[in-house]
Amino acid sequence: MKQVTYEGLTFEPYITRETIEARIKELGKDIMRDCAGKTPLFLCVLNGAFAFAADLFRACEDIDAEISFIRLKSYEGTGSTGVVKEVLGLHENIEGRTVIIVEDIVDTGNTIARLVNDLKAKNPAEIKIATLLFKPEALQCDVRPDYVGFSIPKKFILGFGLDLNGMARNLGDIYMLKED
Ligand code: IMP
Ligand code: MG
């Protein structure tokens, strides 16, 4: 693995695809254990969570489950705008169901807090949050992810679905912004 460059910024290897893959399998086991006898609806938050959701969903193959997709956006460049807008809605009836929100990363928590709030109004049985990455030091909201792949420092990262203005989502490994 070597450094990659986007928009003149340099990123260093941070988490390998093998490590990510192994961790997602563990999360799948946790979810299958907690959801035995339920039929959870996985709700993948596009665009960033698509890669994680695809792997996590298949890591849960021993339970009955559904997956659907929602799109929200709150980020521009490397700093949170704090503005959360819903772009693509939810069409499933989630009343009485176990919903597992699948996010790429929880940073300030604004995105997930807004989504949890919107979903609660639809009376699900329970809402769980699965996130590949979590920046505890950046958290500004009262949300606690239930399934966390990796807790990381408050640094900008990309790859494995995470982007910089739309680029780098196709990197198989995760990279961190190099500071000098
Ligand atoms: P939050 O609302 O501040 O928690 O931000 C959540 C969204 O911001 C995520 O779903 C990502 O799309 C984006 N985001 C947060 N941190 C990063 C990062 O380090 N790299 C790329 N995108 C990020
Ligand atoms: Mg996202």
Side-chain angles (χ1 to χ4, degrees), residues 50-104:
F50 78 95
F52 175 46
D55 287 355
L56 184 67
F57 192 56
R58 285 174 299 160
C60 295
E61 64 180 0
D62 296 341
I63 56 168
D64 287 334
E66 285 183 87
I67 189 164
S68 189
F69 302 86
I70 194 168
R71 186 170 179 167
L72 300 157
K73 201 164 179 266
S74 74
Y75 228 72
E76 273 166 28
T78 55
S80 180
T81 59
V83 183
V84 181
K85 49 180 180 178
E86 188 167 339
V87 180
L88 200 110
L90 172 70
H91 306 295
E92 275 76 10
N93 178 8
I94 61 167
E95 196 173 334
R97 296 198 64 180
T98 294
V99 174
I100 302 176
I101 298 172
V102 183
E103 253 291 21
D104 51 356

Side-chain angles (χ1 to χ4, degrees), residues 128-143:
K128 304 266 190 197
I129 299 168
T131 187
L132 180 61
L133 299 142
F134 180 38
K135 296 181 186 170
E137 296 160 8
L139 196 65
Q140 293 172 8
C141 301
D142 185 23
V143 286

Side-chain angles (χ1 to χ4, degrees), residues 93-126:
N93 178 8
I94 61 167
E95 196 173 334
R97 296 198 64 180
T98 294
V99 174
I100 302 176
I101 298 172
V102 183
E103 253 291 21
D104 51 356
I105 187 163
V106 175
D107 185 27
T108 63
N110 286 316
T111 306
I112 210 87
R114 160 74 198 275
L115 181 53
V116 167
N117 211 47
D118 286 2
L119 294 179
K120 272 187 182 157
K122 299 176 190 294
N123 300 315
E126 57 181 343

Side-chain angles (χ1 to χ4, degrees), residues 143-154:
V143 286
R144 277 285 135 211
D146 300 277
Y147 307 100
V148 174
F150 305 93
S151 287
I152 64 166
K154 205 173 155 179

